[in-house]
Amino acid sequence: MGRPPRAATSRRRIRSLEAVLVLGMLAAAAVLTAVTWPGSSKSQVLPQAAAAVVGGTQTGAQSRAQSGAQSGAQSTVVDDSPDGEEIFLRDCAWCHGETAEGSQLAPSLEESGAAGAHFQLTTGRMPLQSAEDEPEPGPPAYPPETIEAIVDHVRSITTGPDVPDVAPGDVARGRTLFLYNCAPCHSSSGTGMILPGGAFASELLDTTPTQVVEAMRLGPGPMPSFPDTQLDKEQADAIATYVQQLGEQQDIGGQPLDWIGPIYEGAVAWLLGIPVLVLVIRLLGKRAP
């Protein structure tokens, strides 16, 4: 028998190359999805707490940090009648000092005041179970009444900003201000974004208006602060109101791909959708007369 026609051999080679290309793109899509899917990475924007070494070493702070790691692990215990001072001395003072003066392990709370304590506690960044841990947003470790008791105590021993009183603002104006001041880091959809250096600007969809304004005023981690001279109360309220509605309107049906953002969603479309279209076109082409 003679060798198969050259045209038939070329078609088989083309089909083999197409199959390898499609399989390679599917494998790349699977790897991309596994690497970038929310929850697969713990990199977050690091808040200012436990970030810089400040002056004024607390007496015995180093030894108390070791024992405080165990007490921090017990911070989820619900107190029937929470005593803010007692809980602060148990879970916070081993890093921040008995009077919130700071230590080599964590900064002073004097400048951040009650607003800083409220932000860190309600976003789950504090308390840490170890001085070596990095603060990350998550579920609060305390119930609301315990957080309020701790914040009240911090308010009594510091002169920093108080928890802001946020009022409903102009949504349209808030959108404009958000896109100009916040979207470059948090993305226009509020789903967060990777920043230079490997940090991650956290998503804002589950934040409360109070937390939004606190973050703007305090500037946790690498985030810049926005004082009243830059964004007044009316503007801050407008941004907070827009962010709240942004989270409420996010689920509009369809397949959201877990809100991983347009870049990754586009990559998934290229690596999954286009190979499927190529296969469909090939199959239709074979059936054509």
Side-chain angles (χ1 to χ4, degrees), residues 44-52 75 88 91-92 95-96 105-129 133-144 146-148 150-151 154 161-164 202 207-208 210-223:
Q44 301 286 345
V45 173
L46 302 183
Q48 59 190 2
S75 59
F88 180 88
D91 295 345
C92 311
C95 267
H96 292 286
L105 301 176
S108 167
L109 303 181
E110 182 64 32
E111 294 185 1
S112 59
H118 182 269
F119 176 80
Q120 298 290 347
L121 292 172
T122 57
T123 59
R125 289 175 166 87
M126 290 290 163
L128 299 179
Q129 295 188 6
D133 291 345
E134 295 178 348
E136 295 183 355
Y142 303 102
T146 302
I147 292 178
E148 187 63 32
I150 300 174
V151 171
V154 173
D162 203 350
V163 178
S202 58
T207 55
T208 66
T210 300
Q211 292 170 347
V212 172
V213 176
E214 287 171 343
M216 292 168 56
R217 299 309 189 202
L218 298 171
M223 176 178 171

Side-chain angles (χ1 to χ4, degrees), residues 33-137:
T33 303
V35 171
T36 60
W37 206 266
S40 62
S41 174
K42 290 295 185 180
S43 60
Q44 301 286 345
V45 173
L46 302 183
Q48 59 190 2
V53 176
V54 297
T57 303
Q58 176 191 354
T59 304
Q62 295 289 349
S63 60
R64 288 165 60 184
Q66 302 300 325
S67 60
Q70 278 74 38
S71 65
Q74 302 172 359
S75 59
T76 56
V77 177
V78 178
D79 298 314
D80 293 332
S81 300
D83 185 325
E85 180 179 7
E86 178 183 351
I87 300 172
F88 180 88
L89 293 175
R90 183 190 71 192
D91 295 345
C92 311
W94 53 278
C95 267
H96 292 286
E98 295 181 0
T99 58
E101 74 277 15
S103 70
Q104 291 183 340
L105 301 176
S108 167
L109 303 181
E110 182 64 32
E111 294 185 1
S112 59
H118 182 269
F119 176 80
Q120 298 290 347
L121 292 172
T122 57
T123 59
R125 289 175 166 87
M126 290 290 163
L128 299 179
Q129 295 188 6
S130 170
E132 289 76 27
D133 291 345
E134 295 178 348
E136 295 183 355

Side-chain angles (χ1 to χ4, degrees), residues 245-264:
Q245 296 201 6
L246 183 67
E248 293 174 353
Q249 297 175 2
Q250 190 70 18
D251 189 5
I252 57 176
Q255 177 51 255
L257 292 181
D258 208 15
W259 316 117
I260 57 180
I263 296 178
Y264 298 129

